[in-house]
Amino acid sequence: VRECPVKAIKIINGQAEVLEERCIACGNCTRVCSQGAKVFLDTTSNMMRLLQSKQDVVAILAPSFVAEYPELDAPGKLVGALHQLGFARVYEVAFGADLVAAEYRKLILKNGEKGYISSDCPSIVGYIEKYVPELVDRLAPVVSPMVAMTRYLRLKHGDGFRIVFIGPCVAKKWENNEVDEHITFTELRELMLRLGIDPAVSEPADFHPPLGGKGAIFPISRGLLNSVNLPEEILEKKVVVAEGRVDFQEAIKEYLSGAIENTHLELLCCEGCIMGPGTSRNGKKYARRTRVMDYVYHKLENFNRDAWEIAMEEGESLDLSRSFRKNLQTLGDPSEGEVAEILRSMNKTSEKDQLNCGACGYDTCRNHAVAICKGLAETEMCLPYTIEKLHQSVEDLAESNEKLMSVKQVLKQTEKLAHMGQLSAGIAHELNNPLGVVIMYSNILLEEAGDNETLKEDLHLITEQAQRCKAIVGGLLNFARKNQVNYTEVELDELVRISLSSIVIPGNVKVSVINELRGGTAEMDQEQMVQVVTNLIKNAIEAMPLGGSIDVYLSGTEQSINIEIRDNGTGINETDLQKVFEPFFTTKGIGKGTGLGLATAYGVVKMHKGKITVDSNANPSNGPTYTRFTIELPRRRSK
Ligand code: ADP
Ligand code: MG
């Protein structure tokens, strides 16, 4: 994206796609992508088909070939190699450049006041047609050297042969269809390598006449206008030369603004054709430039001016004019609101959030946002935003991980309680009946004991202890949820009142009931729920030997009710907190606690399809100690 001068690269789902209608075929993307992900259209096989046909095929060779082939000690060796490949004749495009230079000279001398923009670079022509169509009539209406050469050959030799252009340019493949095929130097190199043709050891051959003159210099910057033979003063004062994707755009911008009025622009999209995308990579610009200059110098030293002038005269009858079309490709600018919205979505709400770091490929955050509006870019291309998003994801992940851990903990706990439930249900069931028998017979014996007081006392003890056992077994059955739930509509106020009335509340304990339900009712087994609330309040009292307060808090929604019982007693330490709902877990001395109070509460609440949870602080250094049990029940029984 950064390298494309016209932003013809669209990023979609992280993939770069070239938009043909916006592309000016500068070939820059094919050069800069180190992955080689972008390639230009390979036309070698088309050319090979031409060479294998019955017709003669001639090559017209761009003069930059001397820059591309530094390994050749004589330029004629490449001509020889081209004959080997099957070309009937090889011509120099340099002569076409001479013809074009003469046209430019006429044009500039005639219309000197009008500043022309050179039109020999097809990417520059594409740029102006697509992005600054208002300058189309400033483009010099002259064909390129390649086309001039083709027209000359057709004029001179007719139609009985095919013409292949070989040069450094990718955009030529799109430029014009008067030439039968176009291939680049890199394509030629690959092809010859494949066919085992090595120009370095080829028999040198001469170019076919007409030979080019000074025009051979046009592939370097200032080349075209230097070969035009303009008066010094025009060359010095009235020509601006700009090359490369940044500079040529700058020159056009200044030209448009009127800052460089009445000047001619010689513009090249690459840094001279010698650095074109169809040349080998890693070429040295100045070394290539020197080679072209040397070549032209030697050429002119042994120049047959007479033959050249005759050929130029022949060319005078040629029509070398061309026209251009406006083909606007600028996408409409989005509104300020749309741009601001996109910036906001990338967390850029203020000026200082816009770092303009350029990592996305656009100069500014704003330009990136505009491109997103136009559908050319994605928000993920913004590095700071993506990093921020990543951080957020890491945090989210850590959070869900933590949640998962605690759910796992709860699951483990629930599973353990379920196993215990099964075991205790079995024991309780087996013990329940024999205990009944023990109680019944000790009662019968008690009746038959008459006045025997000692016996009666012993029998009392047996009944009492057996009753206690039965209570424990009952608790176990409750925990194991083996009991029936007898649903009735229960007033919650009433529930709490009944529970409290069955407990002896010490004078130093204060109980307050806060009811946000205001007379709310719910469906439940009243007797069982009274037992739950009673157990919780008893525990709370037992946790406050020195007194304190208990808050009973009732709240709820349409669907559920909450009963919260909170005391400011000793609290439950963290290890015990895991175990309080287990049957027989107690911290109270032998004979004092059974460890069944909370197990029963747990079982009853589960039978009601509700939830009982506990939170507590037993460490005074973490703040006041407290314990809070929360019961959540559905308001209506599920059918
Ligand atoms: P028990 O009361 O017979 O010990 P429970 O099942 O009712 O059995 O309670 C289990 C244990 O949970 C208690 O021994 C006590 O350690 C702890 N516990 C329950 N409720 C509270 C509370 N409100 N404050 C402090 N500890 C409590
Ligand atoms: Mg208890």
Side-chain angles (χ1 to χ4, degrees):
V1 170
R2 189 178 3 254
E3 295 286 342
C4 180
V6 293
K7 301 294 176 238
I9 293 180
K10 173 181 180 173
I11 302 289
I12 183 143
N13 298 328
Q15 293 285 324
E17 187 186 301
V18 176
L19 300 172
E20 204 182 321
E21 57 295 351
R22 288 179 63 83
C23 178
I24 57 169
C26 67
N28 202 37
C29 51
T30 67
R31 272 186 102 78
V32 297
C33 178
S34 55
Q35 304 293 313
K38 295 279 166 277
V39 292
F40 53 79
L41 182 71
D42 186 340
T43 42
T44 15
S45 51
N46 293 354
M47 184 193 70
M48 285 312 284
R49 234 171 287 140
L50 282 183
L51 284 173
Q52 280 151 11
S53 71
K54 293 217 167 57
Q55 267 182 322
D56 272 355
V57 183
V58 306
I60 57 173
L61 190 60
S64 46
F65 80 93
V66 286
E68 170 67 22
Y69 283 92
E71 68 270 31
L72 300 186
D73 46 18
K77 287 192 166 178
L78 186 65
V79 179
L82 286 170
H83 285 310
Q84 248 179 291
L85 195 60
F87 285 103
R89 298 184 295 281
V90 181
Y91 295 97
E92 280 190 296
V93 174
F95 180 73
D98 289 336
L99 291 170
V100 167
E103 284 295 307
Y104 269 88
R105 187 181 153 79
K106 274 191 243 166
L107 204 65
I108 291 174
L109 291 181
K110 194 170 113 202
N111 267 337
E113 288 312 299
K114 182 169 173 179
Y116 280 111
I117 301 173
S118 61
S119 59
D120 54 326
C121 172
S123 290
I124 297 289
V125 171
Y127 182 84
I128 289 176
E129 286 183 331
K130 291 180 178 184
Y131 299 100
V132 262
E134 61 269 41
L135 289 184
V136 151
D137 63 344
R138 291 303 173 102
L139 281 166
V142 182
V143 296
S144 69
M146 173 189 83
V147 175
M149 191 63 197
T150 308
R151 288 190 187 169
Y152 176 84
L153 290 179
R154 293 276 177 237
L155 173 79
K156 189 99 168 110
H157 303 293
D159 292 335
F161 58 97
R162 304 281 117 232
I163 301 174
V164 173
F165 170 83
I166 304 172
C169 184
V170 168
K172 284 280 186 223
K173 292 178 189 255
W174 283 265
E175 183 189 340
N176 174 286
N177 53 15
E178 288 175 48
V179 178
D180 296 292
E181 206 46 81
H182 315 70
I183 67 162
T184 63
F185 291 139
T186 47
E187 284 170 316
L188 181 68
R189 263 185 193 282
E190 248 175 58
L191 181 68
M192 286 190 168
L193 196 68
R194 225 170 41 228
L195 300 177
I197 300 173
D198 182 1
V201 298
S202 296
E203 193 61 38
D206 288 332
F207 280 108
H208 247 72
L211 298 185
K214 216 176 169 187
I217 209 170
F218 84 82
I220 63 179
S221 74
R222 263 191 180 280
L224 179 69
L225 288 162
N226 262 328
S227 62
V228 175
N229 279 334
L230 287 171
E232 279 294 294
E233 95 213 42
I234 297 186
L235 264 186
E236 290 302 312
K237 291 189 198 147
K238 295 210 143 186
V239 175
V240 167
V241 177
E243 54 174 31
R245 64 187 167 84
V246 178
D247 285 2
F248 92 74
Q249 293 191 79
E250 193 54 41
I252 289 176
K253 222 185 273 166
E254 290 188 21
Y255 188 81
L256 258 182
S257 74
I260 42 174
E261 245 174 339
N262 298 333
T263 43
H264 306 291
L265 296 187
E266 182 184 333
L267 303 180
L268 290 174
C269 189
C270 304
E271 297 184 35
C273 305
I274 49 170
M275 298 305 284
T279 63
S280 303
R281 280 171 185 233
N282 311 324
K284 307 250 181 314
K285 179 175 162 187
Y286 295 102
R288 284 182 172 183
R289 195 183 164 92
T290 312
R291 285 187 65 79
V292 172
M293 302 283 260
D294 273 357
Y295 176 64
V296 178
Y297 182 75
H298 282 296
K299 211 174 171 28
L300 294 180
E301 258 187 352
N302 314 308
F303 196 45
N304 183 343
R305 181 160 274 280
D306 292 342
W308 181 78
E309 273 174 4
I310 291 169
M312 287 296 282
E313 263 168 45
E314 283 171 346
E316 254 169 38
S317 62
L318 278 174
D319 176 8
L320 296 181
S321 68
R322 69 174 291 193
S323 58
F324 305 94
R325 68 190 184 106
K326 298 184 178 186
N327 178 20
L328 188 65
Q329 291 295 340
T330 49
L331 302 164
D333 277 335
S335 72
E336 269 317 302
E338 285 171 296
V339 176
E341 182 56 44
I342 294 285
L343 283 170
R344 232 191 328 277
S345 76
M346 291 190 287
N347 300 339
K348 297 180 198 304
T349 43
S350 71
E351 198 77 12
K352 75 175 197 325
D353 295 331
Q354 300 183 25
L355 300 177
N356 299 333
C357 69
C360 57
Y362 294 88
D363 298 342
T364 61
C365 297
R366 208 196 123 77
N367 284 353
H368 180 204
V370 169
I372 294 174
C373 292
K374 291 177 178 175
L376 296 176
E378 295 177 327
T379 50
E380 284 74 11
M381 290 155 68
C382 175
L383 203 63
Y385 168 65
T386 305
I387 290 175
E388 205 175 295
K389 237 169 87 171
L390 226 70
H391 274 305
Q392 189 58 47
S393 306
V394 169
E395 263 165 41
D396 288 352
L397 223 68
E399 199 176 300
S400 25
N401 208 16
E402 214 165 274
K403 269 190 203 150
L404 214 72
M405 289 301 282
S406 78
V407 167
K408 211 168 133 189
Q409 197 72 28
V410 170
L411 215 71
K412 230 167 85 186
Q413 188 67 11
T414 314
E415 210 172 314
K416 190 161 140 198
L417 291 178
H419 281 304
M420 285 187 154
Q422 241 167 12
L423 182 72
S424 30
I427 299 172
H429 215 80
E430 290 307 315
L431 287 181
N432 209 21
N433 289 346
L435 275 175
V437 175
V438 170
I439 292 167
M440 189 177 77
Y441 276 93
S442 43
N443 275 324
I444 293 173
L445 285 177
L446 202 61
E447 273 169 28
E448 290 173 359
D451 297 332
N452 190 339
E453 284 305 320
T454 6
L455 187 62
K456 264 166 105 176
E457 238 170 70
D458 290 349
L459 284 170
H460 261 303
L461 198 64
I462 291 175
T463 326
E464 204 182 279
Q465 292 302 315
Q467 286 289 7
R468 205 174 142 217
C469 288
K470 213 168 156 55
I472 292 172
V473 167
L476 272 180
L477 278 174
N478 267 336
F479 168 68
R481 291 176 248 159
K482 286 290 175 194
N483 278 348
Q484 292 287 322
V485 179
N486 187 12
Y487 279 103
T488 53
E489 192 77 28
V490 175
E491 288 275 353
L492 283 150
D493 266 347
E494 184 71 359
L495 176 81
V496 176
R497 200 187 51 72
I498 297 171
S499 307
L500 285 171
S501 69
S502 68
I503 307 169
V504 184
I505 295 168
N508 56 4
V509 171
K510 184 175 160 274
V511 180
S512 28
V513 181
I514 305 139
N515 183 3
E516 288 208 337
L517 282 166
R518 272 187 219 104
T521 63
E523 273 184 316
M524 61 181 77
D525 185 318
Q526 175 161 326
E527 209 174 305
Q528 289 179 15
M529 280 316 289
V530 164
Q531 198 189 344
V532 170
V533 175
T534 309
N535 287 355
L536 294 178
I537 294 174
K538 269 188 186 161
N539 279 346
I541 292 171
E542 279 159 3
M544 301 187 293
L546 303 176
S549 57
I550 298 171
D551 291 327
V552 181
Y553 177 66
L554 304 173
S555 63
T557 64
E558 280 284 310
Q559 281 77 35
S560 64
I561 53 152
N562 271 306
I563 305 170
E564 232 179 79
I565 293 163
R566 184 189 164 110
D567 65 66
N568 55 4
T570 55
I572 307 170
N573 68 46
E574 260 172 63
T575 28
D576 288 351
L577 210 54
Q578 309 286 322
K579 301 183 205 150
V580 288
F581 294 114
E582 289 172 19
F584 306 119
F585 174 80
T586 175
T587 55
K588 295 161 194 169
I590 297 169
K592 282 195 177 151
T594 56
L596 277 173
L598 288 179
T600 302
Y602 181 87
V604 169
V605 172
K606 282 281 161 191
M607 275 192 291
H608 283 76
K609 300 202 166 50
K611 223 162 71 181
I612 177 165
T613 51
V614 57
D615 61 302
S616 181
N617 172 36
N619 184 352
S621 59
N622 290 343
T625 58
Y626 74 93
T627 301
R628 174 173 59 181
F629 284 88
T630 309
I631 299 167
E632 190 188 322
L633 295 176
R635 227 183 236 273
R636 306 270 148 242
R637 93 173 101 161
S638 51
K639 296 274 159 31

